[in-house]
């Protein structure tokens, strides 16, 4: 599976962005998908994950209620809708794929290249 993340940019605090992650390959619908982020000088951290069917979603406490992960298996795409953005959300956001849902980046086999989100105060 090859992944291509997009949708990052500069936004003011309180604003919104939607990230997309397009996957190649016909087996996308069999993979769980996750979003992670990495701020400068920090470790990569879990943001959200979704099961292969989209029936189960998981969020980090820091984004719960503000971010929504979803997927469209017909379009081989997973999304991360980010609302009420805060300066501490500034990071490079990565999408990842694996056969099972997991919260650790070490569990994911496939990664996109990352897209930068910058939230100004």
């Amino acid at each position: 599976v090859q992944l291509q993340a997009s949708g990052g940019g500069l936004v003011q605090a309180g604003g919104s962005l939607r990230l997309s992650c397009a996957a190649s390959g016909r087996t996308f619908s069999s993979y769980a998908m996750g979003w992670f982020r990495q701020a400068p000088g920090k470790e990569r951290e879990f943001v959200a994950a979704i099961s292969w069917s989209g029936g189960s979603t998981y969020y980090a406490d820091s984004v719960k209620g503000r971010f929504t992960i979803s997927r469209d298996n017909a379009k081989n795409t997973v999304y991360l809708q980010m609302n009420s953005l805060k300066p501490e959300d500034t990071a490079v956001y990565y999408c990842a794929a694996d056969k099972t849902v997991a919260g650790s980046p070490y569990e994911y086999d496939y990664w996109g290249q990352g897209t930068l989100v910058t939230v100004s105060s």
Side-chain angles (χ1 to χ4, degrees):
V1 177
Q2 291 185 321
L3 305 174
Q4 179 77 31
S6 62
L10 174 64
V11 63
Q12 290 188 332
S16 298
L17 280 176
R18 188 176 82 156
L19 305 183
S20 299
C21 176
S24 64
R26 294 175 293 177
T27 60
F28 172 77
S29 60
S30 66
Y31 283 88
M33 298 295 296
W35 284 98
F36 292 79
R37 66 186 181 187
Q38 189 165 18
K42 295 189 176 181
E43 293 187 353
R44 193 167 297 188
E45 65 173 3
F46 171 75
V47 175
I50 188 167
S51 62
W52 66 270
S53 67
S56 298
T57 56
Y58 308 85
Y59 298 94
D61 288 343
S62 59
V63 307
K64 203 170 293 183
R66 300 188 298 122
F67 291 11
T68 302
I69 189 171
S70 62
R71 66 189 297 160
D72 185 338
N73 286 343
K75 295 182 178 180
N76 281 10
T77 303
V78 63
Y79 305 98
L80 185 68
Q81 177 67 44
M82 306 185 295
N83 298 328
S84 302
L85 283 161
K86 305 175 181 180
E88 51 263 43
D89 294 318
T90 295
V92 176
Y93 284 71
Y94 298 88
C95 57
D98 197 68
K99 283 296 188 178
T100 58
V101 173
S104 169
Y106 300 103
E107 300 291 332
Y108 287 80
D109 290 333
Y110 303 99
W111 290 85
Q113 86 290 358
T115 185
L116 176 63
V117 172
T118 304
V119 184
S120 63
S121 58

